[in-house]
């Protein structure tokens, strides 16, 4: 199985990392500083959620089946995966069994500090958000050129949040959009770091209020002809994510 993200996610993450390098260079020169579907996942043999007892989620490469701890947010979360999944920086993906080499589902754990008011005419329209789950949900559901399902209140382990689906509005022609992209969110105010390259791409979001931080977790489906078993498995992995307060 390929250990790479789909090309569009590679491009998006690469641009994000390049922007970080530019920011670091400038600073140096200036002298500044929900309940799972019926899919079998590996049983969790660990009795606690301490970082010392659950192994960290590998940064890259194929993952053995099991439960892992992701520590990229202020509050870590547990996630359980079956065989065949691959880690690539801040996300997990899996090929479609019917189309080897075509990673059809992907979970993202990326920051989302800006949301454009119009996902098609997004240049100059990226709006900075407050660090709450509701602010992100309100911005995404109000976004034009995309469509969202009504957000539902959920608990992800010990923390409250919202869940909703997000997709391209049916009438949008991506070729008419800024840079031929449907930009749904970004880490920066002037460039887009998460976009859709196809009208078939869609996501399910869970947005969680942590300790003064917003955690955004997305489950992406890249096309419509995904093996239904993979769709159910991806949803089960998504549902296995739980944040623990440590109390």
């Amino acid at each position: 199985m390929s250990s790479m993200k789909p090309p569009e996610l590679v491009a998006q993450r690469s641009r994000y990392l390049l922007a970080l390098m530019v920011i670091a260079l400038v600073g140096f020169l200036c002298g500044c500083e929900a309940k799972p579907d019926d899919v079998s996942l590996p049983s969790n043999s660990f009795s606690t959620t301490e970082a010392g007892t659950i192994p960290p989620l590998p940064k890259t490469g194929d993952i053995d089946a099991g439960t892992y701890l992701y520590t990229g947010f202020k509050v870590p979360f547990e996630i359980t995966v079956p065989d065949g999944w691959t880690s690539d920086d801040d996300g997990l993906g899996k090929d479609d069994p019917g189309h080897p080499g075509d990673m059809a589902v992907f979970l993202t754990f990326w920051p989302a500090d800006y949301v454009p008011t119009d996902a098609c005419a997004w240049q100059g329209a990226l709006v900075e958000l407050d660090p709450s789950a509701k602010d992100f949900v309100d911005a995404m559901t109000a976004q034009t050129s995309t469509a969202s399902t009504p957000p539902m209140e959920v608990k992800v382990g010990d923390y409250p949040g919202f869940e909703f689906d997000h997709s391209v509005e049916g009438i949008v022609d991506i070729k008419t959009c800024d840079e031929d992209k449907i930009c749904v969110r970004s880490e920066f105010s002037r460039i887009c770091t998460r976009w859709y390259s196809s009208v078939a791409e869609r996501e399910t979001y869970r947005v969680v209020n942590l300790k003064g931080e917003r955690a955004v977790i997305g489950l992406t489906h890249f096309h419509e002809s995904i093996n239904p078993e993979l769709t159910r498995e991806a949803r089960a992995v998504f549902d296995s994510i739980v944040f623990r307060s440590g109390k």
Side-chain angles (χ1 to χ4, degrees):
M1 183 185 75
S2 169
S3 63
M4 296 298 294
K5 299 186 183 100
E8 56 267 33
L9 281 184
V10 172
Q12 291 173 32
R13 207 59 180 165
S14 295
R15 181 169 294 189
Y16 165 50
L17 294 174
L18 177 60
L20 287 180
M21 291 172 64
V22 170
I23 291 170
L25 179 59
V26 170
F28 174 76
L29 293 175
C30 294
C32 307
E33 41 175 281
K35 186 176 178 179
D37 290 325
D38 187 18
V39 175
S40 296
L41 291 177
S43 61
N44 183 0
S45 60
F46 303 99
S47 59
T48 71
T49 61
E50 297 176 3
T53 59
I54 296 181
L57 183 68
K59 280 287 187 182
T60 58
D62 294 346
I63 305 172
D64 293 331
T67 298
Y68 296 92
L69 199 68
Y70 177 78
T71 58
F73 297 119
K74 287 182 179 179
V75 177
F77 67 70
E78 300 169 31
I79 184 169
T80 301
V81 297
D83 285 322
W85 284 73
T86 297
S87 178
D88 202 331
D89 297 321
D90 295 321
L92 300 173
K94 189 171 183 179
D95 289 348
D96 188 330
H99 304 277
D102 176 17
M103 195 173 287
V105 292
F106 204 88
L107 273 70
T108 57
F109 318 135
W110 301 1
D113 300 319
Y114 298 85
V115 169
T117 53
D118 186 336
C120 184
W122 56 267
Q123 289 182 327
L126 287 159
V127 178
E128 187 173 10
L129 305 179
D130 291 333
S132 71
K134 188 176 186 303
D135 208 39
F136 179 82
V137 172
D138 289 347
M140 292 287 281
T141 55
Q143 188 179 79
T144 56
S145 301
T146 57
S148 298
T149 58
M152 301 182 301
E153 293 188 5
V154 295
K155 286 204 73 176
V156 187
D158 297 332
Y159 291 87
F162 300 91
E163 179 177 323
F164 63 97
D165 294 335
H166 202 66
S167 59
V168 180
E169 195 173 38
I171 61 173
V172 174
D173 179 1
I174 290 182
K175 293 299 182 183
T176 67
C177 297
D178 293 343
E179 296 186 8
D180 296 337
K181 299 170 185 173
I182 291 284
C183 178
V184 291
R185 56 189 174 96
S186 182
E187 286 99 325
F188 302 104
S189 62
R190 295 184 180 275
I191 64 171
C192 185
T193 58
R194 180 66 184 102
W195 64 82
Y196 299 159
S197 300
S198 163
V199 294
E201 192 169 339
R202 65 192 190 282
E203 293 178 289
T204 297
Y205 280 105
R206 281 216 180 124
V207 192
V208 185
N209 284 310
L210 300 177
K211 298 175 180 178
E213 181 187 34
R214 174 181 55 244
V216 177
I217 300 168
L219 170 58
T220 303
H221 296 80
F222 289 100
H223 54 78
E224 295 175 343
S225 58
I226 299 173
N227 186 307
E229 291 184 7
L230 177 56
T231 300
R232 288 191 292 270
E233 183 179 298
R235 179 68 199 205
V237 173
F238 186 66
D239 286 341
S240 77
I241 294 175
V242 289
F243 290 88
R244 301 297 190 192
S245 63
K247 293 180 180 179

